[in-house]
């Protein structure tokens, strides 16, 4: 019996930790997924210790998480790309506002709010969710100086739409500095490969 109680307590601790981690996430999708795991663990914990209030409350949370995840993934989002000129006032303000977060992912990014040769603002259901700033390279390539998404929209959908857009524009490859370890994971996830000190993706 003593061993069972210890096991049940560990399940409760695991559920609490999972919910706590979910509350620290800025991405809505990640929050819902991790929170769902925590709630389901609490459901099991509640039944194991014979606490129906804990079990039923977390059944409700589980249902709500599933409902909102369904809405997120079933909803067809509308993406748009705005091409802006160097020196665009909104671009300058956006970079200035997010500077500290940008440095976490792209430490080498220079203070160039005025932009580069290619400056794109990504809209998602008319919400500004990120920017891409790049320098033109030979043979229809781009050297990405900054590829940044706001915390709420780091689910790789921005990148997927953006890269399709660039391909339609005739670009053949993208190059990027590795940046921070988190940014390097992002590049790997998107299919970039290391080459000559940079990361390269052929579109």
């Amino acid at each position: 019996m003593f061993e069972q109680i210890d096991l049940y307590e560990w399940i409760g601790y695991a559920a609490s930790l999972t919910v706590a981690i979910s509350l620290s996430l800025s991405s809505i999708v990640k929050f819902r997924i991790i929170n769902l795991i925590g709630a389901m663990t609490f459901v099991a914990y509640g039944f194991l210790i014979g606490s129906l209030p804990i079990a039923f409350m977390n059944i409700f949370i589980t249902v709500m998480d599933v409902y909102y995840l369904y809405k997120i993934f079933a909803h067809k989002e509308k993406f748009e790309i705005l091409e802006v000129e160097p020196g665009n006032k909104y671009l300058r303000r956006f970079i200035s506002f997010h500077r500290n977060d940008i440095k976490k992912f792209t430490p080498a990014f220079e203070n160039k709010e005025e932009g580069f040769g290619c400056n794109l603002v990504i809209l998602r259901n008319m919400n500004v969710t990120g920017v891409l700033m790049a320098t033109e390279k030979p043979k229809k390539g781009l050297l990405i100086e900054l590829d940044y998404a706001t915390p709420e929209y780091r689910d790789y959908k921005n990148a997927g739409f953006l890269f399709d857009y660039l391909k339609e524009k005739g670009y053949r490859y993208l190059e990027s500095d590795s940046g921070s370890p988190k940014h390097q994971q992002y590049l790997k996830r998107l299919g970039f490969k290391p080459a000559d000190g940079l990361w390269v993706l052929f579109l």
Side-chain angles (χ1 to χ4, degrees):
M1 181 66 179
F2 181 74
E3 291 182 357
Q4 284 186 319
I5 293 174
D6 280 350
L7 175 61
Y8 296 166
E9 287 180 353
W10 278 112
I11 293 174
Y13 292 143
S16 298
L17 179 61
T18 305
V19 171
I21 291 172
S22 75
L23 295 174
S24 71
L25 300 173
S26 56
S27 168
I28 295 175
V29 174
K30 291 180 180 178
F31 161 72
R32 287 293 177 187
I33 292 173
I34 302 301
N35 191 260
L36 172 62
I37 295 171
M40 292 173 65
T41 307
F42 262 127
V43 171
Y45 174 70
F47 282 122
L48 285 170
I49 67 171
S51 177
L52 295 183
I54 291 177
F56 289 148
M57 172 58 72
N58 283 280
I59 287 174
F60 172 76
I61 295 173
T62 297
V63 171
M64 295 306 297
D65 281 334
V66 170
Y67 170 73
Y68 282 110
L69 282 169
Y70 172 78
K71 285 188 66 175
I72 290 170
F73 288 112
H75 177 63
K76 187 175 181 180
E77 296 179 298
K78 181 174 177 58
F79 286 86
E80 293 182 57
I81 300 289
L82 296 181
E83 299 183 21
V84 299
E85 295 294 328
N88 178 271
K89 289 183 178 180
Y90 181 83
L91 181 64
R92 293 169 63 94
R93 183 70 187 102
F94 182 91
I95 298 302
S96 177
F97 182 82
H98 293 285
R99 182 179 307 284
N100 290 336
D101 196 38
I102 287 172
K103 288 291 186 181
K104 294 178 184 177
F105 297 92
T106 316
F109 179 71
E110 300 294 335
N111 298 330
K112 293 183 178 178
E113 289 95 337
E114 70 274 11
F116 297 85
C118 176
N119 306 289
L120 307 177
V121 176
I122 301 98
L123 302 178
R124 192 162 163 179
N125 299 325
M126 290 308 296
N127 296 311
V128 176
T129 62
V131 298
L132 181 132
M133 301 165 71
T135 303
E136 298 275 351
K137 296 279 288 184
K139 299 180 180 179
K140 296 300 290 182
L142 284 176
L143 173 61
I144 297 175
E145 307 285 354
L146 177 66
D147 177 9
Y148 176 78
T150 56
E152 299 84 356
Y153 294 95
R154 289 176 185 158
D155 56 4
Y156 297 91
K157 289 184 180 180
N158 273 11
F161 178 79
L162 180 59
F163 293 169
D164 287 343
Y165 172 86
L166 293 174
K167 188 175 181 178
E168 289 178 3
K169 285 289 184 178
Y171 290 103
R172 297 178 180 176
Y173 68 93
L174 305 174
E175 294 181 346
S176 175
D177 181 50
S178 60
S180 69
K182 283 188 176 181
H183 186 64
Q184 194 171 118
Q185 291 176 6
Y186 165 78
L187 294 174
K188 288 180 181 178
R189 174 92 178 256
L190 294 176
F192 280 78
K193 304 293 183 184
D196 299 325
L198 293 172
W199 288 74
V200 180
L201 174 69
F202 292 96
L203 299 174

